[in-house]
Amino acid sequence: MILVHTMQGEPLYINPSMIETIRVTPDTVLFLSTNKRIPVKDSPEQIVDRIVAYRQRIIEDRRDARIMEMLDEGENNE
């Protein structure tokens, strides 16, 4: 989940996989795959940066889990 802020400044966590497009009209509006539109205070650049960071964390977590599995397998084979 990534953090965005409603137009009232309230924090809102959104699943970035649900975001189809981001438009500036002049407010930033998230268009979700559910056909919902969510106006937010955050800039498109901030949102994209958060999505990239979120996906990098997922990749790193998976890599770390694989390394731990390999280490566990190595200890079990000794």
Side-chain angles (χ1 to χ4, degrees):
M1 303 291 270
I2 63 164
L3 174 65
V4 297
H5 298 87
T6 66
M7 296 306 285
Q8 294 76 28
E10 298 173 9
L12 177 66
Y13 288 89
I14 299 212
N15 179 345
S17 298
M18 299 296 290
I19 300 173
E20 285 193 344
T21 58
I22 303 171
R23 293 191 185 155
V24 180
T25 64
D27 296 325
T28 304
V29 181
L30 304 180
F31 290 81
L32 305 183
S33 58
T34 59
N35 294 324
K36 269 182 110 173
R37 296 176 183 187
I38 302 176
V40 296
K41 280 189 168 184
D42 310 85
S43 72
E45 294 81 12
Q46 290 171 314
I47 295 167
V48 169
D49 287 346
R50 291 177 193 151
I51 292 170
V52 168
Y54 169 80
R55 291 185 176 157
Q56 285 175 336
R57 281 194 311 269
I58 290 172
I59 291 168
E60 290 170 6
D61 288 350
R62 287 181 182 166
R63 184 190 65 225
D64 292 346
R66 278 191 227 127
I67 290 170
M68 293 305 293
E69 286 176 14
M70 289 169 45
L71 290 173
D72 287 344
E73 288 172 5
E75 289 176 3
N76 292 334
N77 289 334
E78 291 178 5

